[in-house]
Amino acid sequence: MASPKLTPMAMAVLELLHERPMHPYEMTQLMRDRHLDNRVAVKAGSLYHTVDRLLAAGHIKIVETQRAGRRPERTVYALTEQGRDAFVDRAKTMLGTIANEHPEFLSGLGAMDDLGREAALEQLQMRLLHLEAKAAAQEVITRRLVDEVPAIHWVDWRYTTAQVRFELEWTRQLVDDITSGRLDWTGDCHPDRLHAVPVESTEDRSDDRAS
């Protein structure tokens, strides 16, 4: 039976095990230090579950167990040749193929005419505040990464910050297009002009048939 497709969390685990054997606690700490949470949800429960699945699939193996004082026993895992091959194949697909993703923001943009100009503008301005705060926080993290982490380990972070900067500038332009009047609303889909269509009740239909 073919092994299940490697998830982003599985790829993150195998990526770290390319460097050296590790126990899950060390993996979690490294993921947080390198801010891998910008591409995977770094939660201990999901990480341990992923490790179990990779072990069952033969992608990793147990190389030793460690115990320090009264701390719980820690199991150290290493990458297998099978795991390395699966990782390489999946990484090539992820890197070279355009995934068909559907961000929620696109659906929100599609609904702007139905929201009306003022409501849409209010939400976009709120989004701008969030994006500006996020971009500022990312700048702080980037400065730390430059000093502490080899650049090859945070290329994904560079992509994430570039996306945020692009969305920030793009949204600023959209807000400017709306406030300047360059972007027109159709005028017939504003919420105050939408009226619910009366639903004919079962009793009404019964009365019609009776008459």
Side-chain angles (χ1 to χ4, degrees), residues 76-141:
V76 179
Y77 298 88
L79 190 64
T80 64
E81 286 299 319
Q82 176 183 318
R84 190 184 305 276
D85 291 342
F87 173 85
V88 169
D89 288 344
R90 183 71 177 129
K92 286 179 178 178
T93 299
M94 286 177 158
L95 199 58
T97 304
I98 299 176
N100 190 21
E101 299 170 332
H102 305 285
E104 288 187 357
F105 186 39
L106 298 183
S107 296
L109 292 172
M112 285 201 310
D113 197 35
D114 300 309
L115 288 177
R117 181 182 182 280
E118 295 305 319
L121 187 58
E122 179 184 358
Q123 295 306 311
L124 287 170
Q125 289 171 331
M126 184 183 303
R127 188 180 190 91
L128 276 179
L129 292 176
H130 292 314
L131 286 169
E132 288 166 353
K134 187 172 185 177
Q138 287 178 337
E139 281 296 321
V140 174
I141 293 171

Side-chain angles (χ1 to χ4, degrees), residues 32 52 67 91 96 110 117 122 124 127 130 142 149 156 162 166 192:
R32 288 173 178 161
D52 289 340
R67 182 182 293 277
R117 181 182 182 280
E122 179 184 358
L124 287 170
R127 188 180 190 91
H130 292 314
T142 298
V149 181
D156 57 306
F166 169 80
D192 58 351

Side-chain angles (χ1 to χ4, degrees), residues 2-30:
S3 298
K5 184 172 69 174
L6 295 175
T7 64
M9 174 59 82
M11 291 294 290
V13 170
L14 296 179
E15 175 187 330
L16 294 178
L17 293 182
H18 265 79
E19 298 178 31
R20 63 181 183 276
M22 299 182 193
H23 50 74
Y25 179 78
E26 184 180 9
M27 295 178 201
T28 303
Q29 291 304 112
L30 269 177

Side-chain angles (χ1 to χ4, degrees), residues 11-211:
M11 291 294 290
V13 170
L14 296 179
E15 175 187 330
L16 294 178
L17 293 182
H18 265 79
E19 298 178 31
R20 63 181 183 276
M22 299 182 193
H23 50 74
Y25 179 78
E26 184 180 9
M27 295 178 201
T28 303
Q29 291 304 112
L30 269 177
M31 286 182 185
R32 288 173 178 161
D33 290 344
R34 295 178 184 178
H35 295 277
L36 267 63
D37 53 357
N38 80 95
R39 53 182 161 107
V40 296
V42 182
K43 297 179 181 178
S46 59
L47 187 141
Y48 278 95
H49 177 69
T50 298
V51 167
D52 289 340
R53 291 179 68 246
L54 290 171
L55 183 64
H59 294 333
I60 61 177
K61 62 183 178 182
I62 298 173
V63 291
E64 66 172 308
T65 55
Q66 300 175 345
R67 182 182 293 277
R70 296 182 178 180
R71 292 180 179 178
E73 188 176 81
R74 290 177 176 174
T75 304
V76 179
Y77 298 88
L79 190 64
T80 64
E81 286 299 319
Q82 176 183 318
R84 190 184 305 276
D85 291 342
F87 173 85
V88 169
D89 288 344
R90 183 71 177 129
K92 286 179 178 178
T93 299
M94 286 177 158
L95 199 58
T97 304
I98 299 176
N100 190 21
E101 299 170 332
H102 305 285
E104 288 187 357
F105 186 39
L106 298 183
S107 296
L109 292 172
M112 285 201 310
D113 197 35
D114 300 309
L115 288 177
R117 181 182 182 280
E118 295 305 319
L121 187 58
E122 179 184 358
Q123 295 306 311
L124 287 170
Q125 289 171 331
M126 184 183 303
R127 188 180 190 91
L128 276 179
L129 292 176
H130 292 314
L131 286 169
E132 288 166 353
K134 187 172 185 177
Q138 287 178 337
E139 281 296 321
V140 174
I141 293 171
T142 298
R143 288 196 292 270
R144 185 189 68 79
L145 290 173
V146 168
D147 294 335
E148 300 177 10
V149 181
I152 192 64
H153 291 314
W154 51 278
V155 174
D156 57 306
W157 178 258
R158 287 171 52 194
Y159 176 80
T160 299
T161 57
Q163 277 189 313
V164 171
R165 290 195 302 271
F166 169 80
E167 185 180 332
L168 176 57
E169 292 307 314
W170 191 91
T171 307
R172 280 176 178 160
Q173 183 61 58
L174 178 59
V175 167
D176 187 59
D177 289 343
I178 294 172
T179 55
S180 67
R182 287 191 297 269
L183 184 64
D184 293 329
W185 257 249
T186 60
D188 57 357
C189 293
H190 291 184
D192 58 351
R193 300 188 184 184
L194 294 177
H195 302 283
V197 177
V199 178
E200 185 180 13
S201 68
T202 304
E203 293 181 358
D204 291 337
R205 291 196 296 271
S206 300
D207 292 342
D208 290 343
R209 286 196 296 269
S211 61

